[in-house]
Amino acid sequence: MHFISFYKSKYGQDPAAKEDIRRVYERAITAGGTEFRSDKLWDSYITWETEDKNLRQITLIYDRLLTVPTQLYSHHFENFKTHVTNNHPKEFLTLDEFMKLRAEVVKEIKAEKEATENSVLDGEEAAPGTAETPAVDDVPPGEEDPSPSPAPGETVNLLGLDQNEVQAIKDVSAFYQDDENEMQKVREKVIELREKVHRLTEEEVSKRWNYEEGIRRPYFHVKPLEKSQLKNWKEYLEWEIATGSHERTIILFERCMIACALYEDMWVMYAKFMEPHSLEGVRNIFQRAGRIHLPTKPNLHLQWSAFEEKHGNYEAALEILTHLENAVPGLTSVAVRTLGAEIRALGGFKNLKMNSPLNLKHKQHS
């Protein structure tokens, strides 16, 4: 958010920079848009597009946002309904969606009119005792109306227009009335379709709500986390791995690593989750943990070395163990693991020459 604010303040006045700003927003949405507390980012994006009245683009953003379980999901849906109500469907829908929904509405209105007309015809009867209109001759002398009364349904022409002009005005009035009715029904259909998505998102939010409420310290601190906090993070991650998408799980792990950066078991859990998906991703996780946050944790480095050795990268495995030996000298487990890795790298103990550097290291550890 801070980078976006800086970028807009520096380049926002340049009309040619709009696409660049949009790309910055899209990068941010890709990186953190599925995070549970990403509401400010989405609101900022929508507000920026609203300033330029990019109504179709706003609708496309809402279509993505309404599928994301966030803390303020209900607030976003209410804002979307306001967006739909205050604008003409032609302006905020794509052409394909507008034509499709309008065709459905016209078909429904036509069916309603036919049903109404049929019901009127079926129940139409002359009311009993209807008085006949008196003939002109029966009107008392002196009370004749010089101008004939208009027929039922006929409009009195007070402007002196001919019949064609009057009919044209009626047609235009009927067109705009019908158009507004159609557009209102299109709006209702737009909201109805998104409401189905909103209900599914609401269910996803309810599943995550207790876990999110259990996160008391989402930021990094050198003080230890409470056991209940660690337990909540672990259970949340296990649940997300079992039921969520890969993307959402990655986002949750990244959130966890901020608060739990000093806990090697959480880093190892992250690496094990990533291994079936990306070996480079696993290396990145171990490098962040071992080189930045936990440079002296033996278990983390041993697992990192085992990972590299498992995938045939013996040189990297030995380098990791050497780094740990320099950081924490004298650990027997490191010496044993180093010797084993060296032997396996040479294809077996019998290939280890007595005067080789690897054997000399073994003698030193002994």
Side-chain angles (χ1 to χ4, degrees):
M1 287 295 297
H2 291 297
F3 175 72
I4 292 173
S5 299
F6 161 75
Y7 200 89
K8 289 195 297 183
S9 65
K10 188 170 181 63
Y11 302 105
Q13 303 301 320
D14 182 6
K18 292 187 183 298
E19 284 303 319
D20 292 333
I21 295 174
R22 186 174 287 113
R23 277 193 288 271
V24 171
Y25 269 115
E26 287 296 331
R27 284 172 54 195
I29 293 294
T30 301
T34 57
E35 202 262 301
F36 192 77
R37 301 172 191 270
S38 60
D39 304 284
K40 287 184 179 179
L41 173 60
W42 288 101
D43 281 340
S44 175
Y45 193 5
I46 291 169
T47 300
W48 179 74
E49 292 287 4
T50 303
E51 291 172 358
D52 285 340
K53 300 188 182 301
N54 295 322
L55 300 182
R56 288 193 181 93
Q57 183 67 21
I58 293 170
T59 303
L60 293 175
I61 295 172
Y62 271 120
D63 281 341
R64 296 156 65 191
L65 172 57
L66 295 178
T67 65
V68 180
T70 65
Q71 187 176 29
L72 303 180
Y73 72 99
S74 183
H75 157 79
H76 299 312
F77 186 60
E78 292 301 319
N79 285 350
F80 172 72
K81 290 196 287 187
T82 302
H83 167 67
V84 170
T85 304
N86 293 345
N87 297 289
H88 195 285
K90 287 181 182 178
E91 298 174 347
F92 66 79
L93 291 177
T94 62
L95 180 60
D96 290 342
E97 185 176 8
F98 174 73
M99 296 301 293
K100 179 183 176 182
L101 293 179
R102 188 173 184 276
E104 292 177 5
V105 166
V106 169
K107 185 177 179 181
E108 291 174 4
I109 291 175
K110 185 178 179 181
E112 290 174 4
K113 285 182 178 180
E114 290 177 353
T116 303
E117 290 171 0
N118 291 337
S119 64
V120 170
L121 291 175
D122 292 341
E124 192 176 53
E125 292 182 1
T130 302
E132 294 183 0
T133 303
V136 177
D137 294 342
D138 296 336
V139 178
E143 296 184 12
E144 298 90 346
D145 189 353
S147 60
S149 300
E154 182 181 346
T155 304
V156 178
N157 185 355
L158 301 177
L159 300 177
L161 303 175
D162 61 39
Q163 290 299 318
N164 292 334
E165 292 172 325
V166 171
Q167 188 59 43
I169 293 173
K170 289 181 180 180
D171 291 342
V172 171
S173 177
F175 169 79
Y176 281 110
Q177 184 176 1
D178 290 345
D179 181 68
E180 182 54 37
N181 291 337
E182 288 176 11
M183 293 307 101
Q184 184 57 35
K185 289 184 178 293
V186 169
R187 290 188 185 97
E188 292 170 2
K189 279 190 171 291
V190 170
I191 293 174
E192 181 183 351
L193 289 171
R194 272 66 174 188
E195 193 166 10
K196 295 176 183 177
V197 177
H198 173 67
R199 290 196 198 100
L200 294 175
T201 303
E202 189 173 32
E203 292 176 7
E204 292 298 315
V205 170
S206 65
K207 294 174 185 176
R208 292 170 170 82
W209 195 264
N210 288 336
Y211 294 119
E212 290 290 340
E213 286 292 300
I215 300 172
R216 303 298 181 189
R217 199 177 81 185
Y219 52 87
F220 173 79
H221 202 285
V222 293
K223 290 183 179 179
L225 274 171
E226 299 174 0
K227 289 184 178 180
S228 60
Q229 290 279 288
L230 291 170
K231 182 174 180 289
N232 182 68
W233 275 115
K234 187 174 181 181
E235 290 178 351
Y236 194 1
L237 287 165
E238 289 173 346
W239 177 84
E240 194 71 64
I241 290 170
T243 61
S245 67
H246 177 73
E247 180 186 359
R248 287 198 60 82
T249 305
I250 293 294
I251 294 293
L252 184 59
F253 263 115
E254 289 297 332
R255 288 178 62 197
C256 174
M257 291 306 105
I258 295 172
C260 304
L262 301 181
Y263 293 87
E264 59 183 324
D265 55 330
M266 305 305 288
W267 285 103
V268 171
M269 182 181 181
Y270 190 7
K272 287 182 177 179
F273 164 76
M274 183 63 74
E275 188 168 358
H277 306 284
S278 170
L279 297 183
E280 284 305 314
V282 177
R283 290 190 177 96
N284 179 264
I285 292 166
F286 275 127
Q287 285 170 1
R288 288 162 57 194
R291 295 291 185 259
I292 299 172
H293 299 288
L294 304 169
T296 61
K297 290 290 185 179
N299 181 53
L300 177 74
H301 286 78
L302 291 176
Q303 298 222 33
W304 183 7
S305 174
F307 162 78
E308 293 292 359
E309 188 177 343
K310 175 183 175 182
H311 294 283
N313 196 352
Y314 291 99
E315 184 178 349
L318 291 169
E319 183 183 343
I320 293 163
L321 294 171
T322 302
H323 182 273
L324 180 59
E325 172 67 20
N326 294 333
V328 188
L331 293 176
T332 304
S333 58
V334 177
V336 172
R337 179 66 69 85
T338 302
L339 178 60
E342 290 172 340
I343 292 172
R344 287 186 292 273
L346 293 171
F349 187 79
K350 61 183 180 181
N351 295 326
L352 186 64
K353 297 178 181 179
M354 296 304 295
N355 59 347
S356 71
L358 300 182
N359 192 46
L360 292 175
K361 285 184 182 180
H362 170 56
K363 288 181 178 180
Q364 291 172 1
H365 291 313
S366 300

